Amino acid sequence: MGDTETYTVTGPDGDEESFELPAGLVDVLSEQGEPATAVVSDVIVQAMAQQAHVIVHHSEGDVPEDIAEMEETAAELFEERFGQPLEEALGHSH
């Protein structure tokens, strides 16, 4: 296995989870001068918004209202962070 870098996420209640990524991968995904933590945070926000979208819009059956609201908030946070609607980034809308 190649070299790795450790990143840590801290939750709102103080719990932490550390994980390894291949060394240099974050640099490949970053724009010049962009901090590594911003890149990792962007990927987390993007992944969570995409997963919420899938749960709400691509699941069979009805979705509870609280989960639909979470998805809507995730989409709004995505747009605030990246300057474009999630549906545009995903290439489709509902």
Side-chain angles (χ1 to χ4, degrees):
M1 180 163 65
D3 293 338
T4 62
E5 300 171 329
T6 303
Y7 290 88
T8 303
V9 175
T10 303
D13 58 359
D15 63 323
E16 292 185 347
E17 177 75 25
S18 295
F19 56 94
E20 301 289 320
L21 293 174
L25 179 60
V26 173
D27 293 334
V28 170
L29 300 173
S30 69
E31 296 179 11
Q32 187 173 9
E34 187 177 19
T37 53
V39 174
V40 173
S41 297
D42 283 350
V43 172
I44 292 170
V45 170
Q46 179 183 9
M48 296 299 284
Q50 286 176 317
Q51 291 300 311
H53 173 89
V54 168
I55 291 167
V56 171
H57 297 289
H58 298 278
S59 296
E60 292 185 25
D62 293 331
V63 175
E65 184 61 35
D66 62 331
I67 294 176
E69 187 176 312
M70 289 178 212
E71 187 273 336
E72 184 176 319
T73 300
E76 290 169 0
L77 293 169
F78 180 94
E79 186 167 357
E80 286 177 16
R81 188 170 188 112
F82 298 107
Q84 68 176 331
L86 178 62
E87 283 124 1
E88 184 179 306
L90 294 174
H92 74 277
S93 62
H94 297 274

